[in-house]
Amino acid sequence: MNTLQPWFSLALWLAGIGHFCILGASFQVPSRLGWKEDLAKLTSFNRKLMWVYAGTTLLTIIAFGVITLLLHDELLRGDRAAMFLAGFIAIFWTLRILVDLLYFKHADWPVGRQFIVGHFLLTALFAALALTYWGLLIWNMMKGIS
Amino acid sequence: MKSILPFAIQIAGALHLLVAGANFVLPGILHYRENLAKVSPIIRQIFLVHAFYIVLVLVGFGLLCLGFPHELSGGSSLGRCLSGFLAVFWSLRVILQFGFYDRATKRDHPLGNLFFGGIFTYFAAVFIAATFFGK
């Protein structure tokens, strides 16, 4: 079991950094999808609500990255609260993949090779993040059993 | 202060779930359907996904507060770090509630404004206390 520890340690460092890579894409979304023009059609309150929703989601992703990097050792050790957090982040990213597969209609997305490549890379990153936190959770549960 | 913090955090946990539940009523009150019909499909989808994620995050915070009140009140470095994040998160939300949203809408819904503003202020106060004055 302990032979996996260096791998999970590395995976957690990469996952922490990975969250900040998502920010790079997130900051481009409003301009690339023309939010300013589109959101102008909403009432002022709903427009502000959209910005607050987006900002809150962004803040949560930043927190996932910061917490993963700062509390790397606690996550690796598998404390109860750390495992709750790992489980929550795993669910967060798994649902994001499911939303992409089952809810977003890709015909509605802007066309162009850069969007296809960006979409593929982001989805791959979401999958890597989900796998890392699910793996960590399962590994720590197995450690507890053995 | 230290002895009541875990209890205050558990109350915050229950209130998080209440706010998550309130998010199911908001779309009707704020006329999401009529409003979102005006924007392009992709913006509509992103709006609804964000709204779903807000509920998910609120439920996550709620369960965290109900399940780990002692850790969040300074019982571990992880707990204190999470309380610090929740303090920042809710303090920003209080500023947005009182300084960013339209006054006219808040005047039209005074009880809703009081409900959300009051609860968010309570969250910010509890988690600031947990971050700086926890054991």
Side-chain angles (χ1 to χ4, degrees):
Chain A
M1 265 302 168
N2 280 339
T3 53
L4 290 175
Q5 182 152 339
W7 292 104
F8 276 113
S9 174
L10 176 66
L12 277 176
W13 289 123
L14 293 174
I17 296 164
H19 282 99
F20 293 99
C21 295
I22 292 170
L23 293 185
S26 296
F27 282 120
Q28 293 183 44
V29 169
S31 64
R32 299 243 179 193
L33 295 183
W35 279 24
K36 197 171 217 176
E37 300 78 13
D38 238 340
L39 294 183
K41 297 169 194 161
L42 294 175
T43 61
S44 171
F45 192 84
N46 278 327
R47 185 164 55 248
K48 287 181 176 178
L49 202 64
M50 174 75 165
W51 285 112
V52 170
Y53 280 171
T56 305
T57 308
L58 211 63
L59 186 63
T60 306
I61 294 171
I62 292 171
F64 287 167
V66 171
I67 287 170
T68 300
L69 294 176
L70 277 183
L71 300 168
H72 170 273
D73 293 347
E74 280 83 350
L75 283 164
L76 207 56
R77 205 165 48 230
D79 303 340
R80 271 181 66 239
M83 285 308 92
F84 175 88
L85 187 67
F88 181 69
I89 301 175
I91 290 170
F92 186 99
W93 290 118
T94 304
L95 286 175
R96 183 60 187 78
I97 297 165
L98 291 177
V99 162
D100 195 75
L101 288 175
L102 306 173
Y103 179 64
F104 281 145
K105 293 185 179 65
H106 293 182
D108 299 329
W109 286 84
V111 290
R113 194 194 300 186
Q114 56 182 343
F115 285 103
I116 295 170
V117 173
H119 179 232
F120 173 78
L121 289 175
L122 268 180
T123 310
L125 183 52
F126 298 155
L129 289 170
L131 277 174
T132 298
Y133 291 99
W134 279 125
L136 183 75
L137 189 65
I138 292 165
W139 175 62
N140 273 304
M141 285 166 72
M142 304 277 278
K143 267 198 311 189
I145 293 167
S146 63
Chain B
M1 168 67 93
K2 286 172 189 170
S3 58
I4 63 161
L5 262 178
F7 179 64
I9 289 172
Q10 282 189 313
I11 298 277
L15 289 174
H16 272 95
L17 298 182
L18 183 68
V19 175
N23 273 272
F24 289 99
V25 184
L26 272 184
I29 296 172
L30 298 174
H31 309 291
Y32 278 18
R33 190 183 289 263
E34 299 86 333
N35 253 265
L36 291 175
K38 300 173 200 163
V39 299
S40 62
I42 189 64
I43 301 289
R44 188 160 55 242
Q45 288 163 29
I46 290 174
F47 187 102
L48 292 174
V49 167
H50 276 312
F52 165 75
Y53 264 94
I54 297 301
V55 173
L56 180 71
V57 166
L58 285 169
V59 170
F61 288 173
L63 295 178
L64 183 72
C65 294
L66 289 173
F68 304 96
H70 293 284
E71 283 87 342
L72 289 172
S73 54
S76 67
S77 53
L78 175 97
R80 183 161 284 190
C81 188
L82 287 172
S83 281
F85 162 65
L86 289 168
V88 171
F89 185 99
W90 287 116
S91 298
L92 286 173
R93 191 61 187 76
V94 169
I95 293 168
L96 291 172
Q97 183 70 24
F98 293 112
F100 181 61
Y101 283 132
D102 295 336
R103 282 188 188 167
T105 310
K106 286 191 285 191
R107 257 199 313 272
D108 291 344
H109 304 281
L111 282 179
N113 185 38
L114 194 69
F115 171 80
F116 285 111
I119 288 180
F120 297 162
T121 306
Y122 174 77
F123 290 162
V126 166
F127 293 112
I128 287 171
T131 307
F132 294 107
F133 307 114
K135 59 178 179 261

